[in-house]
Amino acid sequence: MKKIPLHWKIMISIGLGILLGFVLLKIPAGRTFAGNWIKPFGTIFMNLLKMLAMPLILTSLIKGISDLKDMTSLSRIGIRTFGWYIITTFIAIAVGLLVVYLIKPGYFIQPDTRNKIMYQYSGEATEEVQVAKESVAKGPLEPLVEIVPDNIFQAATSNGNMLQVIMFAVLFGVALLLIPPEKTVTVRDFFAGANEVILRIINIVMSAAPVGVFALMVTLVTETPSADIFIALGMYGFTVLLGLALLLYVIYPTIVKYIGGMPPGKFLKGMVPAQLMAFSTSSAAATLPVTMQCLRNNLGISEEVTSFVGPVGATINMDGTTLYQSVAVVFIAQALGYDLSFGDVLSIVFTAALAGFGSAAVPGAGIVMLIIVLQSVHINPAAISLIFAIDRPLDMCRTVVNVSGDGMIATIIQRKATALAAADAGKQI
């Protein structure tokens, strides 16, 4: 009997989880049963994936950088990667602003519905506003300060500190490049072996993915708020999804084909396992192990490119998040009757870009950064309560775009790296 591919198992699990979730909603004690007996399995699966994110980033980055020939190779990959992160971020924001101004979803919400939503989620909004205020109060250069850890062991204990761990890993890898190879054989072998161990653990954990995804879907459905609210926010959700679809199925395949030199069909099919995992976990960090598997095994991206683009992209390349933030800010402004000037729109563009780079690769981080974007155009940040009801399912979808964007950039960097390697080989001949 032919073995069913993992991505099909995950898709089946998503469908069965949603189905069971709706069945449990019809049963008086269904929500309680789901919370007590199904949700824990989803939590365990998420914890396993998050557990692997930090050691994977550390070992893969150090191994990937130390495997490069010299500092020139690192600068080539690094500069091109960050350059493309910036380009695609502004493309995502532009797409978001285009669709939200064309559809104008904020005008579909009636005042009574708006007041009802804001009242229901005012408590959650207050908590998120407080978190955002603490971030803003630290000063404009505080994010730069926070990239540098004062204790790497402490930084490695939280997935929210991934940039700090990346900073250390890059420095460590660069130092290995600068030391004569014969003096670093033991260290290189250690991280190469540790990386192989982490990858094998990932394979073991992924065998339980269908069960974990099933539990996550059941939990999502049984914890969903009132359907009336979803209907009221339907146009907003449609606008975000339309923008995400344009990125994922139009812009990314076009870039992959003409700049990355890869057939769009191969790219989209190769990223399916990572996309499904991103959809079910809403976390680019938790999805990172699967993303890197897809890059290596499905797209044929080299180890050195995968080891750099994968971890760094999961932390700072958030196209889906920046698109969502640009749509959300304009939607809230429309719903509250604010008239945004051209200067306000420019402020949204640049603040959303910075917020996208600063968003943690964990579920719900985008909503905190959204508050900062709202404040940049002088809108009451408590208005985020308007979108709380539908934020989680949209978070799942924008995470799919986030990890797909990492794959798209990896194809571009790989093509250039291959061309440079061929040129170098020609010179040697």
Side-chain angles (χ1 to χ4, degrees), residues 86 89 133-134 146 154 176 179 194 213 218 242 244-245 258 263 271 290 306 370 399 415 420 423:
I86 295 171
T89 293
K133 283 182 178 179
E134 293 174 0
E146 292 181 349
Q154 183 178 4
L176 287 176
I179 298 173
V213 170
V218 173
L242 176 61
L244 295 176
Y258 293 104
M271 290 300 296
V290 188
T306 297
L370 174 61
T399 307
R415 185 183 191 187
L420 289 173

Side-chain angles (χ1 to χ4, degrees), residues 345-357:
V345 174
L346 288 179
S347 179
I348 292 172
V349 170
F350 289 104
T351 311
L354 293 174
F357 286 128

Side-chain angles (χ1 to χ4, degrees), residues 353-383:
L354 293 174
F357 286 128
S359 294
V362 293
I367 200 75
V368 176
M369 304 309 294
L370 174 61
I371 296 172
I372 298 174
V373 183
L374 283 171
Q375 290 179 322
S376 73
V377 290
H378 311 293
I379 295 178
N380 183 357

Side-chain angles (χ1 to χ4, degrees), residues 116-193:
K116 176 183 176 182
I117 294 172
M118 293 188 69
Y119 175 78
Q120 180 171 347
Y121 292 96
S122 58
E124 294 180 56
T126 301
E127 295 177 8
E128 302 293 354
V129 169
Q130 184 58 38
V131 173
K133 283 182 178 179
E134 293 174 0
S135 298
V136 173
K138 294 178 180 179
L141 294 181
E142 188 62 25
L144 187 63
V145 174
E146 292 181 349
I147 291 176
V148 183
D150 58 359
N151 186 324
I152 185 56
F153 297 102
Q154 183 178 4
T157 61
S158 171
N159 282 347
N161 296 327
M162 282 190 179
L163 276 177
Q164 295 185 352
V165 175
I166 288 175
M167 176 74 173
F168 174 80
V170 169
L171 284 175
F172 199 101
V174 167
L176 287 176
L177 282 179
L178 297 175
I179 298 173
E182 62 272 12
K183 294 184 178 181
T184 60
V185 173
T186 302
V187 178
R188 291 170 187 260
D189 288 346
F190 169 78
F191 280 102

Side-chain angles (χ1 to χ4, degrees), residues 285-333:
T287 308
L288 179 59
V290 188
T291 302
M292 295 182 69
Q293 278 188 329
C294 289
L295 296 182
R296 282 191 303 266
N297 302 333
N298 299 348
L299 302 185
I301 307 299
S302 67
E303 184 69 32
E304 66 178 24
V305 173
T306 297
S307 297
F308 185 85
V309 176
V312 176
T315 308
I316 66 174
N317 186 40
M318 304 288 176
D319 293 344
T321 300
T322 53
L323 182 146
Y324 140 81
Q325 287 170 344
S326 61
V327 172
V329 171
V330 177
F331 164 77
I332 290 172

